Amino acid sequence: MAPRPAWKGYLKLSLVTCAVELTNVVTHTEKVSFRVLNRKTGNTVKRIYVDAQTGKPLGDGDEVKGYEVSDGDFVHIEEDEIEAVQIESSHTMSLDGFVDKSSIQQIYLDTPYYVAPADAVSEEAFAVIRDAMAGKKMAGLARIVLYQRERPVVIEPLGKGMVLTTLRYDNTVRQPNTVFGDIKAVKTDQEMTDLAELIIDKKKAKFDPSKFDDKYEDALLELIRAKKAGKKAPKAEAAPKPSNVVNLFDALKKSLSSDAGSKASSAKAKPAAKRAKPKAGAPKRKSA
């Protein structure tokens, strides 16, 4: 079954428009999830709204959204009134500017979505916009109302489709100097930096997300299997916590030799297959 689109609307470049739909890149369907149960009966429980003053539960349709304008004074807002709020970005993403994607700092990137044409009629215009951005190696900036919030976004080509990434507003992002400002400038020893660079060189690898393992998820599944079989929860051994390095130079040298040693032992574990020696007395193959 095809994933359900998170948003449907239009992508616009000047006077060129095409219908598009957004699909979540990330899925959580395979993750372990727990339900809340009544410990005594084993039945699932449900959450209900309770009046904070009277303590009485609300009936169906009794709840309403409220915006607090002053202490204890709320303006009531109905769901259909919220849905009726429409601006251009509610249904159209206008590509208003183009940037080099690498110029956007990582701290502003939020959630990715796939962008695809919504129907066959839109495929040609979609392809023109996509290929033009790919040809110029540029990403487009736009805005979109998603989950009742307008969000700035960046859109870039990705294979036959495009990928949209929502961006964080500047006033919601802590700037690096607010966290890194107290870090003192340190003049590093070049020899130690060279050793660290050698370690990095030895650990170079190609990015392969298929090799990422969720070890915490695996541990949860092991716990579930044990409980299902009526066994005790597996006893987890606490992982050793690293301590601060006392002698940085020695630690770097040991790291380098340790890494080299592990690779050598790995190579020894898989020796090349040797050609079997002929048994004594075995007849030799005659040449043709």
Side-chain angles (χ1 to χ4, degrees), residues 7 11 22 87 89-90 92-97 99 101 104-105 107-113 115 139-156 163-173:
W7 184 89
L11 180 64
L22 268 57
I87 59 176
S89 55
S90 297
T92 302
M93 294 184 293
S94 293
L95 294 168
D96 297 326
V99 298
K101 172 70 180 304
I104 302 175
Q105 294 181 57
I107 56 177
Y108 288 97
L109 300 175
D110 194 2
T111 307
Y113 295 86
V115 186
L141 297 175
R143 290 174 175 272
I144 180 176
V145 174
L146 198 59
Y147 306 121
Q148 297 182 351
R149 290 285 186 276
E150 188 183 46
R151 304 158 195 269
V153 299
V154 59
I155 305 170
E156 58 188 315
V163 64
L164 172 152
T165 306
T166 57
L167 301 173
R168 301 181 178 100
Y169 286 101
D170 188 51
N171 61 2
T172 67
V173 174

Side-chain angles (χ1 to χ4, degrees), residues 255-272:
S255 296
L256 196 59
S257 60
S258 169
D259 187 55
S262 63
K263 286 188 177 181
S265 62
S266 175
K268 287 179 181 178
K270 295 180 180 179

Side-chain angles (χ1 to χ4, degrees), residues 15-225:
L15 299 178
V16 180
T17 306
C18 60
V20 295
E21 54 187 30
L22 268 57
T23 305
N24 286 287
V25 168
V26 179
T27 174
H28 298 285
T29 54
E30 299 301 320
K31 291 293 180 184
V32 170
S33 60
F34 296 101
R35 298 283 299 276
V36 179
L37 307 177
N38 182 333
R39 185 185 294 275
K40 294 178 180 178
T41 65
N43 299 329
T44 57
V45 300
K46 61 181 182 180
R47 299 179 188 273
I48 57 173
Y49 286 109
V50 176
D51 189 296
Q53 298 298 321
T54 67
K56 293 181 179 179
L58 273 64
D60 291 340
D62 286 345
E63 69 272 8
V64 63
K65 283 185 167 62
Y67 180 82
E68 192 168 15
V69 292
S70 61
D71 190 21
D73 185 18
F74 293 87
V75 173
H76 291 192
I77 308 291
E78 301 292 343
E79 285 289 349
D80 58 354
E81 292 175 322
I82 294 175
E83 290 173 6
V85 175
Q86 294 286 321
I87 59 176
E88 184 188 15
S89 55
S90 297
H91 51 75
T92 302
M93 294 184 293
S94 293
L95 294 168
D96 297 326
F98 295 88
V99 298
D100 184 338
K101 172 70 180 304
S102 63
S103 69
I104 302 175
Q105 294 181 57
Q106 185 71 28
I107 56 177
Y108 288 97
L109 300 175
D110 194 2
T111 307
Y113 295 86
Y114 292 126
V115 186
D119 50 49
V121 176
S122 301
E123 289 179 356
E124 184 178 15
F126 180 89
V128 168
I129 296 172
R130 177 200 64 206
D131 292 351
M133 285 199 288
K136 299 301 291 185
K137 296 181 179 178
M138 300 291 273
L141 297 175
R143 290 174 175 272
I144 180 176
V145 174
L146 198 59
Y147 306 121
Q148 297 182 351
R149 290 285 186 276
E150 188 183 46
R151 304 158 195 269
V153 299
V154 59
I155 305 170
E156 58 188 315
L158 181 67
K160 294 190 292 183
M162 296 193 229
V163 64
L164 172 152
T165 306
T166 57
L167 301 173
R168 301 181 178 100
Y169 286 101
D170 188 51
N171 61 2
T172 67
V173 174
R174 286 195 185 97
Q175 292 304 311
N177 60 355
T178 63
V179 178
F180 302 152
D182 292 335
I183 299 177
K184 295 178 181 178
V186 177
K187 187 176 181 181
T188 56
D189 180 270
Q190 188 58 49
E191 190 174 0
M192 289 197 289
T193 303
D194 291 342
L195 283 171
E197 288 179 359
L198 282 172
I199 295 170
I200 291 170
D201 284 337
K202 286 184 175 294
K203 291 182 177 290
K204 273 185 184 176
K206 289 185 178 179
F207 177 70
D208 183 1
S210 65
K211 291 183 178 180
F212 296 163
D213 295 324
D214 189 340
K215 291 183 172 57
Y216 187 78
E217 182 89 355
D218 293 340
L220 282 178
L221 289 170
E222 187 181 350
L223 166 63
I224 291 166
R225 283 192 289 265

